[in-house]
């Protein structure tokens, strides 16, 4: 995900852009120059403020609805704010202590971490929270086995290095002896054991039997399937909090938001991409390259032990998001879960 290079701004324009964004995030109303002049001691005239707002609009950082003289931030304006203007606001000590206490109570129950993480993020951000369970970053084959069951029925057992086992019952066109099945097992294990899908070479399959090709394709597809989260695995919370935002006053907008969270495939792409990055990432509106997500932002972070057990957690809400608060919340919960994982025995 790439961002356009941001313009260099004068100190005054930086301050005015920052104030417009802060006002708009707080009020959900376009910000006119009069509000800035009356509310903040900018030390310049109303005319100067109007000129600076017009300049920021020309730079693509602000825009204005047709029915209003006030300005609202664009995606590019929010990006400029997040990267160059935003001040880091950590969670309060009371919030931090309470969250640590809650996680401490479930520190040995890894299956509870995602649920608690999602609930905590939703409460802190008043947005929808999504947390994936921990998993090995890439599935690797440990061993496969072919077992003759009855007549033309053969059981394929696929065992991955993280202990996951998948079984497939095959119906062949003709009876194949257990001796031949064992030969195929040995052949494929020698080629595939220890490899992830990314490292499985494009093997030349000349001379392979139809069954060998069938088993190979099935093993690869099994690993690929396990390499992806299913949306049903992702823990969600805070949908009602998100829908209380002014943006969802229109029923159609609320329906679209619920559809995004229900279907999940677009968010899965973004979450999977976040696994390849470090730190907190902020994806604003159209930066996702998805038309359906153009009005939303995702603040997301990887958590876990790199290369061993990894997950992703994040916040999804309108682009009019309190980014300092959201980023702090995601950063803190990711660090909290990292600490818990580091304390587990073994």
């Amino acid at each position: 995900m790439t961002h356009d290079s941001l313009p260099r701004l004068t100190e005054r324009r930086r301050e005015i852009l920052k104030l417009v964004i802060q006002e708009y995030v707080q009020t959900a109303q376009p910000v006119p120059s009069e509000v800035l002049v009356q509310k903040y001691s900018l030390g310049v005239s109303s005319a100067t403020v109007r000129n600076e707002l017009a300049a920021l609009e020309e730079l693509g950082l602000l825009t204005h609805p047709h029915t209003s003289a006030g300005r609202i931030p664009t995606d590019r304006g929010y990006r400029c704010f997040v990267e160059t203007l935003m001040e880091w606001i950590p969670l309060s000590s009371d919030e931090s202590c309470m969250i640590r206490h809650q996680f401490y109570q479930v520190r040995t129950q890894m299956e509870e971490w995602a649920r608690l993480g999602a609930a905590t993020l939703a409460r802190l951000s008043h947005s929808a929270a999504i947390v994936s369970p921990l998993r090995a970053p890439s599935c690797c084959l440990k061993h496969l086995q072919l077992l003759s069951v009855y007549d033309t029925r053969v059981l394929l057992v696929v065992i991955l290095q993280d202990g996951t086992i998948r079984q497939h019952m095959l119906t062949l066109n003709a009876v194949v002896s257990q001796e031949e099945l064992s030969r195929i097992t040995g052949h494929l294990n020698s080629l595939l054991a220890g490899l992830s899908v990314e490292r499985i070479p494009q093997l030349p399959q000349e001379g392979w039997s139809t069954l060998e090709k069938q088993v190979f394709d099935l093993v690869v597809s099994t690993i690929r399937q396990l390499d992806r989260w299913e949306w049903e695995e992702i823990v969600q919370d805070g949908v009602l909090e998100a829908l209380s935002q002014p943006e969802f006053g229109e029923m159609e907008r609320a329906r679209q938001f619920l559809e995004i969270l229900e279907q999940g495939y677009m968010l899965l792409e973004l979450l999977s991409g976040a696994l390849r990055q470090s730190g907190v990432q902020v994806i604003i509106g159209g930066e996702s390259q998805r038309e359906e997500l153009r009005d939303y932002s995702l603040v997301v972070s990887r958590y876990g032990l790199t290369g061993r057990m990894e997950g992703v957690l994040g916040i999804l809400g309108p682009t009019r998001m309190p980014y300092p608060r959201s980023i702090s919340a995601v950063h803190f919960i990711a660090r909290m879960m990292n600490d818990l994982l580091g304390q587990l025995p073994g």
Side-chain angles (χ1 to χ4, degrees):
M1 209 161 309
T2 58
H3 317 303
D4 293 336
S5 58
L6 298 171
R8 295 177 66 86
L9 300 178
T10 64
E11 196 57 42
R12 181 192 295 158
R13 288 179 186 174
R14 287 168 58 87
E15 182 66 16
I16 289 175
L17 176 60
K18 182 178 177 181
L19 292 176
V20 169
I21 291 175
Q22 289 176 347
E23 278 290 314
Y24 182 64
V25 167
Q26 187 175 359
T27 66
Q29 297 296 321
V31 183
S33 58
E34 294 78 17
V35 168
L36 298 177
V37 172
Q38 292 165 10
K39 193 168 180 179
Y40 302 98
S41 302
L42 298 177
V44 293
S45 67
S46 297
T48 299
V49 173
R50 284 194 294 274
N51 289 337
E52 296 291 36
L53 289 172
L56 289 168
E57 188 166 351
E58 284 184 17
L59 290 169
L61 302 174
L62 297 177
T63 186
H64 67 275
H66 298 302
T67 57
S68 171
R71 263 71 171 196
I72 63 175
T74 62
D75 290 353
R76 199 167 183 230
Y78 283 125
R79 172 57 57 191
C80 186
F81 175 75
V82 167
E83 292 197 3
T84 67
L85 304 177
M86 186 183 74
E87 296 174 10
W88 178 264
I89 303 175
L91 301 184
S92 71
S93 56
D94 285 348
E95 287 173 325
S96 301
C97 287
M98 181 183 296
I99 294 168
R100 284 195 182 94
H101 176 69
Q102 290 173 325
F103 272 99
Y104 182 79
Q105 291 184 314
V106 297
R107 64 192 183 282
T108 60
Q109 304 165 46
M110 192 183 296
E111 68 281 359
E112 288 294 307
W113 297 0
R115 181 196 59 77
L116 179 56
T120 305
L121 280 175
R123 186 178 72 247
L124 292 172
S125 66
H126 302 292
S127 296
I130 43 183
V131 181
S132 78
L134 286 162
R135 66 164 197 195
S138 189
C139 297
C140 294
L141 179 70
K142 181 177 182 181
H143 186 72
L144 69 90
Q145 188 70 46
L146 286 168
L147 300 170
S148 178
V149 177
Y150 174 74
D151 198 20
T152 58
R153 304 272 280 171
V154 170
L155 178 66
L156 168 62
V157 182
V158 179
I159 304 172
L160 303 182
Q161 288 187 341
D162 66 358
T164 301
I165 298 175
R166 289 291 183 271
Q167 299 182 1
H168 303 277
M169 188 63 73
L170 310 179
T171 301
L172 310 182
N173 294 326
V175 176
V176 177
S177 68
Q178 182 60 56
E179 182 180 3
E180 176 63 8
L181 294 177
S182 297
R183 186 197 67 77
I184 293 173
T185 294
H187 176 223
L188 293 179
N189 276 327
S190 68
L191 295 173
L192 303 178
L195 298 183
S196 63
V197 167
E198 293 79 14
R199 293 179 55 216
I200 289 177
Q202 294 297 312
L203 297 171
Q205 299 183 6
E206 293 86 358
W208 285 26
S209 67
T210 301
L211 180 55
E212 282 176 306
K213 294 177 182 177
Q214 182 182 359
V215 171
F216 173 82
D217 291 342
L218 197 50
V219 169
V220 171
S221 67
T222 298
I223 296 175
R224 283 206 174 107
Q225 185 178 18
L226 290 169
D227 237 3
R228 298 190 301 265
W229 288 299
E230 297 298 327
W231 186 243
E232 292 72 23
E233 296 178 83
I234 306 295
V235 179
Q236 298 182 42
D237 208 321
V239 176
L240 290 179
E241 285 93 333
L243 291 178
S244 68
Q245 303 281 356
E247 282 83 351
F248 300 113
E250 299 175 18
M251 186 61 70
E252 181 61 19
R253 283 287 300 276
R255 186 189 65 78
Q256 290 171 350
F257 186 68
L258 290 173
E259 254 182 31
I260 290 168
L261 286 169
E262 183 179 345
Q263 295 174 356
Y265 64 93
M266 290 174 289
L267 295 176
L268 274 180
E269 286 181 11
L270 298 177
L271 293 180
S272 297
L275 272 178
R276 298 188 288 272
Q277 308 291 327
S278 60
V280 178
Q281 299 135 65
V282 182
I283 303 165
I284 300 170
E287 293 175 357
S288 68
Q289 305 298 313
R290 286 283 190 174
E291 178 64 19
E292 300 90 334
L293 295 175
R294 70 185 184 280
D295 296 323
Y296 306 103
S297 288
L298 180 68
V299 179
V300 64
S301 177
R302 182 178 65 186
Y303 75 96
L305 299 176
T306 303
R308 291 173 54 193
M309 294 292 285
E310 297 175 344
V312 181
L313 55 86
I315 292 167
L316 179 72
T319 53
R320 187 191 60 84
M321 179 185 285
Y323 290 97
R325 174 77 169 173
S326 299
I327 292 169
S328 291
V330 168
H331 173 79
F332 185 86
I333 300 302
R335 192 180 65 187
M336 186 80 252
M337 293 168 83
N338 288 345
D339 292 344
L340 284 179
L341 198 56
Q343 292 169 18
L344 288 179

